[in-house]
Amino acid sequence: MDEAHRSGCPINLTLEVLGDRWSLIVIRDIMFGNRRHFRELLQKSDEKIASNILADRLKRLVEKGLLYREDDPSHKQKAIYSLTEMAIELVPLLAEMGAWGRRFLPVSEELAIRAELLEKGGRPLWEDFMQELRVQHLHVAPDPSKPSVFERLTAAYQEVLARKQAAAAE
Amino acid sequence: MDEAHRSGCPINLTLEVLGDRWSLIVIRDIMFGNRRHFRELLQKSDEKIASNILADRLKRLVEKGLLYREDDPSHKQKAIYSLTEMAIELVPLLAEMGAWGRRFLPVSEELAIRAELLEKGGRPLWEDFMQELRVQHLHVAPDPSKPSVFERLTAAYQEVLARKQAAAAE
DNA sequence: ATCAACCGCTTTCATTTTGCAACTGGTTAA
DNA sequence: TTAACCAGTTGCAAAATGAAAGCGGTTGAT
């Protein structure tokens, strides 16, 4: 179950779980892209993960307690992957990663817009988003008084994408 | 210079730079442990990095713009590694990583105390700490009105360590 | 002047991880 | 009946990692 740890440092332990090139990509796609099936994660991500790597990461993330796997009642072969509370609480970390990447790396506009909104919204927005993720993934009852952060992020992304495509078509 | 990127997503680009098991350990040790020489990074870290990996990571981090290397005027063979602004602005990300690790992973008390202070202090403390790092690493003039966050973090760590050693000696 | 400790790495080699491509046995909808 | 789809698995080459020893030069103490 527990392989020996390199040290008890919180940053090190976090790196032991998430410190590779794919684990956070998978979590990002489930969290922000609502990809819940193997094929969706395989085909709809921009980074083109290999199927054996995806299979390995999903298994690892389930073992580490960040995801859980259920059978899809609508299809005997489909599996549904969901975020656990442990993964939902990565929202601040992913928001900071997005903010840093946006500031220092050559991001594309349509993929940076969600990071920008998350950064501008700050911790109150993150908390709203985490609560929505709990509704989506942990079967928590929704709070109808709150507008959906997920929809706001997705709409902003679609808007930039449509504008760039319109500009490219000219 | 620039290898092809997997995508323009800010999270992905950040992972392309920092998504491995050692890069952030090196930055952590320079940032929080003030390790500035190769041998210090090699021998004084809890995780026992191999010398070839350390050499490779230092080279990579210099190339990516997170560190810079200078000759130490006091010793012809010594090199001094310093953080750039790009690395200093990782403080919020490292603080979030520490907070998440502390919440969900089996951290040790003496290594978690700094993460706890950083978390409790929040963004105002992070800003103070970043300003101190600019003084240490970028030769910016210090602000004498501010008490040192670095010293506060280090003192808290030493205190827990001493208490644990006293308890172990009984 | 001598010598041991220290300096930033490099080299070698075994093991592990990654990445690509093809493939599997079964399910579903037309 | 059949074509598309389902979650993966397999085989193999290439790259990354990790442990250990070693390198030529510098330094400070004797």
Side-chain angles (χ1 to χ4, degrees):
Chain A
M1 175 138 314
D2 45 358
E3 318 96 66
H5 295 297
R6 300 189 300 193
S7 85
C9 166
I11 290 172
N12 172 60
L13 290 170
T14 300
L15 283 174
E16 288 186 21
V17 175
L18 301 170
D20 73 273
R21 298 176 106 63
W22 290 111
S23 295
L24 282 174
I25 293 288
V26 172
I27 290 171
R28 178 205 63 184
D29 281 348
I30 299 177
M31 185 178 283
F32 297 102
N34 199 32
R35 318 247 186 273
R36 308 293 289 270
H37 306 292
F38 190 94
R39 292 279 155 169
E40 286 181 317
L41 289 162
L42 189 64
Q43 296 169 342
K44 293 188 188 170
S45 92
D46 297 306
E47 293 86 8
K48 302 298 164 213
I49 188 170
S51 61
N52 54 344
I53 308 290
L54 175 59
D56 179 78
R57 288 307 181 281
L58 287 170
K59 202 178 79 168
R60 241 184 72 97
L61 290 170
V62 168
E63 283 169 3
K64 300 277 183 188
L66 289 138
L67 301 178
Y68 67 99
R69 204 198 108 119
E70 292 169 300
D71 290 334
D72 186 334
S74 78
H75 189 305
K76 283 189 180 173
Q77 277 183 313
K78 272 189 175 171
I80 302 177
Y81 288 96
S82 303
L83 302 173
T84 63
E85 177 66 21
M86 194 176 174
I88 289 171
E89 299 227 18
L90 287 172
V91 165
L93 181 54
L94 288 165
E96 294 289 356
M97 283 184 69
W100 188 85
R102 217 166 65 78
R103 199 161 296 139
F104 295 104
L105 302 173
V107 300
S108 66
E109 189 189 1
E110 75 274 15
L111 294 173
I113 183 68
R114 288 182 293 199
E116 185 180 347
L117 286 184
L118 270 182
E119 185 181 351
K120 300 255 167 72
R123 207 159 295 261
L125 185 75
W126 305 348
E127 291 296 338
D128 287 352
F129 185 45
M130 287 164 64
Q131 195 53 38
E132 284 174 36
L133 291 171
R134 288 185 191 104
V135 172
Q136 284 181 57
H137 293 262
L138 303 178
H139 314 301
V140 168
D143 179 347
S145 73
K146 297 273 188 179
S148 167
V149 178
F150 178 80
E151 280 167 24
R152 272 185 277 168
L153 295 176
T154 302
Y157 165 63
Q158 297 292 353
E159 187 185 305
V160 175
L161 200 62
R163 177 156 47 76
K164 290 195 79 166
Q165 283 171 350
E170 275 171 15
Chain B
M1 176 136 318
D2 45 356
E3 319 96 66
H5 294 296
R6 300 188 301 193
S7 85
C9 166
I11 290 172
N12 171 62
L13 290 170
T14 300
L15 283 173
E16 288 186 22
V17 175
L18 301 170
D20 73 273
R21 297 176 103 62
W22 290 112
S23 295
L24 281 174
I25 294 287
V26 171
I27 290 170
R28 178 204 64 184
D29 282 348
I30 299 178
M31 185 178 282
F32 297 102
N34 201 31
R35 318 247 186 273
R36 307 293 289 270
H37 306 292
F38 190 94
R39 292 276 160 168
E40 285 181 317
L41 288 163
L42 188 66
Q43 295 170 343
K44 294 188 187 169
S45 92
D46 296 306
E47 292 87 8
K48 302 298 165 213
I49 189 170
S51 61
N52 52 347
I53 308 288
L54 175 59
D56 179 78
R57 288 307 180 281
L58 287 171
K59 202 178 78 168
R60 243 185 71 98
L61 290 170
V62 168
E63 283 169 4
K64 300 277 183 188
L66 289 138
L67 301 179
Y68 66 100
R69 204 199 108 119
E70 292 168 300
D71 291 334
D72 186 334
S74 79
H75 189 303
K76 282 189 181 172
Q77 279 182 312
K78 272 188 174 171
I80 302 177
Y81 288 96
S82 303
L83 303 173
T84 63
E85 177 66 20
M86 193 175 173
I88 291 171
E89 298 226 19
L90 287 172
V91 165
L93 180 55
L94 287 165
E96 294 289 356
M97 283 183 69
W100 188 84
R102 217 166 63 79
R103 199 161 296 140
F104 295 104
L105 301 173
V107 300
S108 67
E109 189 189 1
E110 76 273 16
L111 294 174
I113 183 68
R114 288 181 295 199
E116 185 180 348
L117 287 183
L118 270 182
E119 186 181 351
K120 300 255 166 73
R123 208 160 293 263
L125 185 75
W126 305 348
E127 291 296 336
D128 286 353
F129 185 44
M130 286 164 65
Q131 195 53 37
E132 283 174 35
L133 290 171
R134 289 185 191 104
V135 173
Q136 283 181 58
H137 294 262
L138 303 178
H139 314 301
V140 168
D143 178 347
S145 73
K146 297 273 187 179
S148 166
V149 178
F150 178 80
E151 280 168 23
R152 273 185 276 167
L153 295 176
T154 301
Y157 165 64
Q158 297 291 352
E159 189 185 304
V160 175
L161 200 62
R163 178 157 45 77
K164 289 196 79 164
Q165 282 171 350
E170 274 172 15

